[in-house]
Amino acid sequence: MAEAGILSEDDRVELIEGEIVRLSPIGTRHSACVDRLNALFTSRLRRRAIVRVQNPIVLSRWTEPQPDLTVLRPRADFYAERHPGPAEVLLVIEVAETSGEYDRGTKLGLYARARIPEVWIVDVPGQAIEVYRVPALRSYGDRRRLVRGRRLAPIAFPRTAFRVAEILG
């Protein structure tokens, strides 16, 4: 639709189950958290993965969300020929400043159905990180809420730990 001129590059939308969903404006705390996540993951994972910020992933023919941060299997072409699909996604991170209900409801269910192995939701107002693992039909079998003072590591990189406080800022 962007190529046809229906949407502009600056429109904040994503394709969810065949519908164009308008996204909330990005606040300053949200932006800062995404930038912090990008810096942390890029510096710690280096060439072991590709870290993408607010770019599409293809979950189905009708669904292309744009997670705040996605950790992908490395590819020499950096996915130049196509957006990554579920098999290439190692971790999805959504930053929820005002979008918590949408992230925990609609998007989490889509990620589970697509078998994304791990999703983190950074709850900015609640000052916590929700970790979802073991995807099932509509949700995740393993759910945890971590607060400051705790550490976490992605399943794909168990030796690469992050402190909750450094992600929250």
Side-chain angles (χ1 to χ4, degrees), residues 126-145:
Q127 292 292 288
I129 299 173
E130 300 167 13
V131 178
Y132 298 88
R133 295 175 174 161
V134 189
L137 185 58
R138 287 190 161 83
S139 190
Y140 284 82
D142 182 14
R143 302 169 180 216
R144 299 174 199 186
R145 184 173 174 87

Side-chain angles (χ1 to χ4, degrees), residues 10-78:
D10 298 327
D11 286 330
R12 289 209 13 91
V13 297
E14 57 189 1
L15 180 65
I16 302 295
E17 297 184 318
E19 291 186 36
I20 302 294
V21 176
R22 199 164 292 285
L23 300 175
S24 303
I26 297 175
T28 56
R29 293 189 317 161
H30 183 282
S31 294
C33 186
V34 171
D35 289 345
R36 198 167 25 258
L37 284 162
N38 186 29
L40 289 167
F41 274 84
T42 300
S43 69
R44 293 201 189 153
L45 295 180
R46 298 196 177 141
R47 294 185 181 134
R48 296 182 292 158
I50 294 172
V51 178
R52 290 182 118 190
V53 175
Q54 297 169 341
N55 282 323
I57 58 175
V58 178
L59 300 184
S60 74
R61 181 177 173 191
W62 306 106
T63 302
E64 290 187 21
Q66 296 181 38
D68 288 308
L69 190 113
T70 310
V71 179
L72 304 169
R73 295 184 190 285
R75 276 181 47 153
D77 72 346
F78 285 79

Side-chain angles (χ1 to χ4, degrees), residues 79-120:
Y79 298 92
E81 298 300 316
R82 63 175 176 76
H83 292 305
E88 290 102 8
V89 177
L90 301 172
L91 170 65
V92 163
I93 302 177
E94 295 286 0
V95 176
E97 183 176 13
T98 59
S99 62
E101 192 174 313
Y102 178 64
D103 292 337
R104 287 182 198 93
T106 301
K107 289 183 93 173
L108 193 61
L110 293 170
Y111 296 142
R113 277 197 308 269
R115 314 297 278 169
I116 302 298
E118 185 170 18
V119 177
W120 295 359

